Amino acid sequence: MAVRVVVVGSANTDMVAFAPKLPAPGETVLGTRFEMASGGKGANQAVACARLGAETWFVGRVGNDWFGDTLLRNLQGAGVNTEFVIHDAEAPSGVALIFVDAEGQNEIVVVAGANGRVRPSDVDAATDAFARANALLVQLEIPLETVGYALATAAQHGALVVLNPAPARPVPEEWFGLVDVWVPNEREAEGLTGIAVTDLESAERAAKALLDRGAKSVVITLGANGALLVTPEIIRHFPAFPVQAIDATAAGDAFAAALTVRLAEGAPLDEAVRFANAAGALACTKVGAQPSMPTRHEVENFLQSPPSP
Ligand code: RIB
């Protein structure tokens, strides 16, 4: 039977401009391609969970506009249950303006719109899903009050709680007692700890600083350097799978979703991180956020014969 995952978070329409390099402040660069795709860290992670085989609910808000309708259709098309998504008449759907350079690296500006109005009462409205869920996956593109409420609700129901603290924002200390697995990238780990994460040694120090504050386990995603898993018992580096990166947008979302699904299925942490590392690598090989979220079949095939360095 499929595991059940609730994702509470944002849904955005991504406007993506590809260019040989990212513009410096005040600079104009000539782009090579434009794409519009469904995105938003929450919706991306929900789509990834569903494609990876979990029964998935998305809890969030979209505007009463064409963008919102398209975002919902895309979630439904991926098999995500959207019965707890609210069409908000007071705010437009969220958008993200994304620049991607020739190496697939990106810069993102998000304008929250309806995502900024996801409330604790939206979590209450989804109580049925929380009561049945094996895991909650949440990020920081919605109000922190709602994130905290979702964490507490999932913990009360005994679900596994995974937090992808993205984008980087200061978080309340009491969250350390509620979250089972923290999944920041380098910049988010730095934002949480004040330790600049530039290599494995600094990543380990940042992860240990989070453990000192009460985190049970930490997985720092390191882009081209893979991921570092740190718990009180384990310190293990997982090098990135070598792939031809076209667009790294949402690679972290694929990673967080895959980690959550495998953990909810009962996999040990190190096995779940390897699976997540493969999902993140695959997401880099396609353009766009939700279009690049891999299926279970794709991840399992990839892991059967991973590319050699
Ligand atoms: O993580 C990638 C996502 O961040 C994009 O889809 C964009 O919408 C922003 O939320």
Side-chain angles (χ1 to χ4, degrees):
M1 203 178 71
V3 290
R4 294 181 290 268
V5 178
V6 174
V7 181
V8 181
S10 57
N12 295 323
T13 302
D14 292 351
M15 317 259 177
V16 193
F18 294 82
K21 65 188 265 292
L22 301 174
E27 185 185 20
T28 302
V29 298
L30 294 175
T32 51
R33 177 176 176 186
F34 172 77
E35 296 281 344
M36 213 161 79
S38 292
K41 295 185 195 304
N44 296 343
Q45 293 178 18
V47 164
C49 286
R51 290 204 183 132
L52 293 168
E55 186 179 350
T56 308
W57 288 264
F58 178 62
V59 179
R61 288 190 183 220
V62 295
N64 242 339
D65 45 32
W66 178 86
F67 292 111
D69 295 342
T70 307
L71 290 167
L72 270 191
R73 262 203 312 278
N74 211 58
L75 282 160
Q76 290 157 357
V80 176
N81 183 318
T82 58
E83 82 179 272
F84 303 115
V85 178
I86 292 174
H87 258 114
D88 192 320
E90 306 292 319
S93 296
V95 290
L97 306 180
I98 305 181
F99 299 139
V100 180
D101 72 10
E103 275 75 52
Q105 296 307 306
N106 63 41
E107 268 177 6
I108 305 180
V109 174
V110 174
V111 182
N115 298 308
R117 292 164 49 82
V118 180
R119 303 214 166 102
S121 55
D122 301 359
V123 170
D124 281 337
T127 297
D128 286 355
F130 275 81
R132 298 180 59 211
N134 301 101
L136 167 76
L137 175 57
V138 63
Q139 330 70 32
L140 305 183
E141 275 186 347
I142 57 171
L144 294 187
E145 182 197 5
T146 310
V147 175
Y149 193 74
L151 299 177
T153 305
Q156 263 162 28
H157 284 288
L160 173 86
V161 179
V162 181
L163 176 65
N164 171 220
R169 298 169 75 178
V171 301
E173 282 307 301
E174 64 260 26
W175 288 11
F176 285 92
L178 297 171
V179 173
D180 294 301
V181 190
W182 292 74
V183 192
N185 69 13
E186 302 104 311
R187 281 163 302 283
E188 292 143 11
E190 176 176 348
L192 287 167
T193 62
I195 297 168
V197 176
T198 53
D199 53 17
L200 281 180
E201 184 272 329
S202 51
E204 187 179 324
R205 273 192 292 120
K208 285 183 170 163
L210 294 173
L211 293 188
D212 287 344
R213 281 158 75 182
K216 297 168 198 151
S217 43
V218 179
V219 184
I220 303 186
T221 56
L222 301 165
N225 278 328
L228 182 72
L229 164 65
V230 181
T231 74
E233 295 82 30
I234 312 170
I235 299 172
R236 182 162 167 201
H237 175 231
F238 296 76
F241 291 105
V243 291
Q244 186 67 47
I246 296 172
D247 178 6
T249 307
D253 297 330
F255 187 103
L259 185 77
T260 304
V261 170
R262 280 305 284 136
L263 289 175
E265 289 172 350
L269 260 170
D270 53 354
E271 191 190 317
V273 174
R274 183 166 183 269
F275 184 82
N277 221 9
L282 282 167
C284 293
T285 63
K286 287 188 193 156
V287 165
Q290 285 168 37
S292 73
M293 297 296 97
T295 63
R296 182 72 177 230
H297 182 69
E298 286 171 328
V299 177
E300 283 176 353
N301 266 358
F302 182 87
L303 281 172
Q304 261 166 27
S305 45
S308 41

